[in-house]
């Protein structure tokens, strides 16, 4: 998820949120290609961190395997470093799976300061569908009890964050229970450039 795509004349800043297995990684890659953005997956950044041989890596590895959220302090540290590099390079980006909690969203706002997000895209997928998808994907953190715990974290931590963002008006909700292509087309249709290739976005 760290590959560099050709930069777009529109320097978008997007966040993609949804339950585990809702297709965030899948859609982030497609949107990155379409708009020339760098995808930033906190899941992947944390898996990379967990693969190291440090005390903190051991802690993160245990949390990922158990399907628990990694503490905000650790997540914010990896995001801050990645975003600083992208902003310094003048790149647009799409956050995949971040923010996931209200404290992360508040810290993210503070981190962005002058550069507000263009949109937060929420992928809505029912729990029974995500369970089937993740069982088929079969990553090492996709066991049944782990999936259930991750879905519970989403209900408890992420949903209230989305409701709060929705009151602020920057959220686009998309039906993620469709084909990969249809979900992508729906997101792209909602991200309507208001001024050709050089304008901002109109959240419909
Ligand atoms: P992530 O790496 O974000 O993983 P995910 O939520 O399970 O998957 P995603 O939604 O990206 O699904 P994908 O496209 O792969 O998180 C992993 C862990 O990291 C978390 O549990 C947590 O512990 C930790 N973490 C990450 N961010 C954190 C944060 N901010 N704070 C704290 N902890 C954090 O799709 C899944 C499967 O469905 C694939 O096989 C795909 O091919 C398929 N699929 C996708 N779209 C489909 C469609 N439309 N139809 C049918 N199948 C589809």
């Amino acid at each position: 998820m760290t590959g560099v795509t050709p930069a777009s004349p529109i320097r978008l800043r997007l966040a993609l949120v949804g339950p585990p297995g809702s297709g965030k990684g899948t859609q982030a890659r497609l949107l990155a290609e379409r708009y020339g953005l760098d995808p930033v997956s906190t899941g992947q950044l944390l898996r990379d961190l967990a693969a190291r041989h440090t005390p903190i890596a051991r802690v993160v590895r245990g949390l990922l395997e158990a399907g628990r959220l990694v503490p905000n302090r650790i997540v914010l540290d990896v995001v801050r470093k990645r975003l600083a590099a992208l902003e310094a390079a003048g790149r647009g980006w799409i956050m995949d799976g971040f923010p996931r909690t209200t404290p992360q969203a508040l810290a993210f706002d503070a981190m962005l300061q002058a550069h507000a997000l263009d949109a937060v895209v929420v992928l809505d997928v029912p729990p029974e569908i995500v369970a089937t998808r993740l069982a088929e994907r079969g990553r090492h953190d996709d066991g049944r009890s782990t999936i259930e715990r991750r879905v519970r974290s989403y209900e408890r931590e992420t949903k209230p964050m989305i409701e709060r963002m929705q009151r602020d008006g920057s959220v686009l909700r998309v039906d993620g229970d469709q084909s990969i292509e249809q979900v992508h087309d729906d997101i792209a249709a909602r991200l309507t450039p208001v001024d050709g290739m050089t304008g901002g976005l109109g959240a419909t």
Side-chain angles (χ1 to χ4, degrees):
M1 296 290 286
T2 53
V4 174
T5 47
S8 151
I10 315 175
R11 189 171 162 197
L12 294 178
R13 295 179 177 88
L14 304 175
L16 198 48
V17 180
S22 54
K24 298 181 294 288
T26 306
Q27 295 300 326
R29 281 188 287 279
L30 294 172
L31 290 166
E33 242 169 69
R34 183 178 190 128
Y35 296 109
L37 310 174
D38 278 18
V40 180
S41 158
T42 42
Q44 190 56 51
L45 289 171
L46 294 170
R47 284 188 285 280
D48 292 347
L49 178 62
R52 293 192 203 150
H53 299 283
T54 60
I56 207 166
R58 236 187 339 269
V59 172
V60 171
R61 198 155 52 236
L63 291 168
L64 292 180
E65 277 166 13
R68 296 186 191 282
L69 289 180
V70 172
N72 292 329
R73 181 177 47 80
I74 298 176
V75 176
L76 290 168
D77 190 46
V78 295
V79 168
R80 196 172 280 115
K81 285 180 187 143
R82 187 84 186 103
L83 271 196
L86 290 173
E87 288 293 335
R91 307 276 310 172
W93 41 259
I94 177 161
M95 299 300 310
D96 155 9
F98 176 89
R100 245 166 164 106
T101 66
T102 298
Q104 287 183 14
L106 294 173
F108 194 32
D109 277 349
M111 222 183 276
L112 292 172
Q113 291 173 355
H115 313 295
L117 274 175
D118 291 298
V120 178
V121 178
V122 178
L123 296 176
D124 287 311
V125 180
E128 61 279 11
I129 302 287
V130 301
T132 310
R133 283 186 192 175
L134 292 177
E136 282 168 10
R137 180 175 69 178
R139 204 167 65 195
H140 72 284
D141 58 343
D142 287 339
R144 206 164 62 128
S145 60
T146 314
I147 293 171
E148 282 167 7
R149 188 175 284 135
R150 288 159 62 198
V151 170
R152 280 201 302 276
S153 290
Y154 179 77
E155 299 282 332
R156 202 176 45 232
E157 306 272 353
T158 312
K159 272 194 169 170
M161 175 200 81
I162 294 170
E163 280 157 21
R164 187 181 160 278
M165 285 174 155
Q166 214 151 4
R167 290 196 290 274
D168 296 345
S170 56
V171 171
L172 308 178
R173 296 200 87 119
V174 172
D175 177 6
D177 184 13
Q178 311 180 79
S179 73
I180 290 172
E181 295 73 22
Q182 190 58 54
V183 175
H184 175 68
D185 288 349
D186 277 10
I187 299 173
R190 303 289 300 282
L191 295 174
T192 311
V194 294
D195 183 21
M197 287 299 287
T198 53
L201 290 176
T204 55

